[in-house]
Amino acid sequence: MHVPTPRPLLDYDAEAEAYDATRGGVPRAEAAATAVLGLLPPDTVTLLDLGCGTGIVTTRIAAARPGLRVLGADTSYGMAAMARSRGIPVLLASGTRLPFRTGSLDAVSAVWLLHLLRSPGLVAAVIAEAGRVLRPGGVFVTTVDKDAAHDVGSDIDVVLAEHLTATPADSVQAVTGHAAAVGLRPAGEALFTGHGQGRTPRGAAEALLAGRYASRVHPRGITPRELADRLELLPGPDTPRAEPTYRLHAFVRA
C-alpha cells in the first residue's frame, strides 16, 4: 500500500526576507504583541519568545515594556538572523531542548508556532519544556486553533472544508491537556485581529501549492493542483475575505 508523503512545511530560511510582507506586516505584529503583553503579569522581568521567526512581534513586545528582558529562540538560521538584525538577542534552539535552567524564566510566549508541530508528541514536548524553564508563577502564552481562525464562513472555506485535518496540533483542548500534564493551569485568554490576513481565492490557491497550508489542508481524492483550480474559479479571485481573529491562551506554572 502506498502511504502519501506529508507535504513539507515552508523552508523558513528561504522565506525569511519576504515572510513579514506576506503575513500582515507591522499591523498584525502590533496586535499580537499587545495581546501577549496583556496576558503577562506586571512583575514579569524575563520573556522567551519561542519560535520568534523574524522578530517582528518580539521587538514590539520589548519596545512596549522597556523593563522587560526579551529573548528569542528559533530553529531557522534565516529567521534568527532577521530577528537579530532587529536588535533581539536570539538563540538557535529547539523548543524541546532549551538552554535555560529549570525555573529560570518569568514567561515564555509561542505565537503561531504550535500549529506547525505535526509530529506525534511534539506539541506536548514543547509545552513541557516551556513549563520546565518557567519559575513558579511564571506564565506560558500561546496561540491556539491558529488555522481554524481563518475559517470565517467564506466561499474559500466551503471549498477547503472536506480537506481539513480533524486533529489540529494546537487545538485548545489538546494544548490545555498538555499544559495540565506538566502543572500549567489556565490563566486567561485574549483575541486579536490578523490584520492583512483576509484570504483571497488566488492567494489561497498559491499558498496551497507552496505548502503553506500543510499543517491544516490535506487534499482528499483530489490533487493539490485540482483543489487550487477550484479556488481560482471562485468569484473575486483577488478580493480579500474577512480577516481572522486569533486566540491566545495563558497558563501559569503552579
Side-chain angles (χ1 to χ4, degrees):
M1 180 178 71
H2 172 67
V3 178
T5 302
R7 291 177 59 76
L9 297 178
L10 287 180
D11 180 341
Y12 285 97
D13 287 339
E15 288 278 322
E17 190 168 341
Y19 190 83
D20 294 335
T22 63
R23 286 163 176 78
V26 170
R28 187 178 81 144
E30 289 183 340
T34 299
V36 170
L37 287 164
L39 293 172
L40 298 182
D43 61 348
T44 303
V45 175
T46 55
L47 177 139
L48 173 67
D49 190 21
L50 189 56
C52 67
T54 68
I56 191 171
V57 175
T58 324
T59 55
R60 281 155 180 82
I61 293 173
R65 195 178 291 189
L68 184 63
R69 180 172 178 249
V70 179
L71 307 169
D74 207 283
T75 57
S76 162
Y77 178 84
M79 290 289 188
M82 184 71 70
R84 285 184 186 131
S85 74
R86 289 182 156 130
I88 293 295
V90 181
L91 304 169
L92 278 173
S94 166
T96 61
R97 294 189 66 182
L98 295 172
F100 295 97
R101 290 181 292 105
T102 297
S104 61
L105 298 176
D106 295 324
V108 175
S109 58
V111 180
W112 303 309
L113 172 65
L114 298 185
H115 70 289
L116 300 173
L117 309 181
R118 297 297 301 172
S119 297
L122 190 52
V123 168
V126 168
I127 292 174
E129 185 68 349
R132 181 189 69 79
V133 301
L134 286 172
R135 62 166 174 79
V139 174
F140 175 54
V141 178
T142 182
T143 43
V144 295
D145 291 315
K146 189 268 182 185
D147 288 324
H150 291 266
D151 300 340
V152 295
S154 73
D155 49 357
I156 294 173
D157 300 327
V158 173
V159 172
L160 295 179
E162 64 183 285
H163 306 286
L164 301 180
T165 176
T167 56
D170 69 334
S171 73
V172 65
Q173 295 87 355
V175 171
T176 300
H178 297 321
V182 294
L184 294 169
R185 58 178 177 79
E189 62 180 299
L191 303 175
F192 65 97
T193 301
H195 296 287
Q197 291 295 284
R199 296 184 297 188
T200 68
R202 198 185 313 278
E206 292 171 354
L208 174 69
L209 294 176
R212 294 202 292 273
Y213 289 166
S215 65
R216 174 70 165 158
V217 178
H218 299 273
R220 297 181 178 90
I222 190 174
T223 67
R225 177 68 264 177
E226 289 169 332
L227 185 55
D229 288 343
R230 291 185 183 180
L231 290 167
E232 290 181 335
L233 288 172
L234 293 174
D238 297 309
T239 301
R241 278 42 173 181
E243 293 177 328
T245 298
Y246 296 119
R247 299 172 65 195
L248 280 171
H249 274 235
F251 301 88
V252 64
R253 180 74 178 172

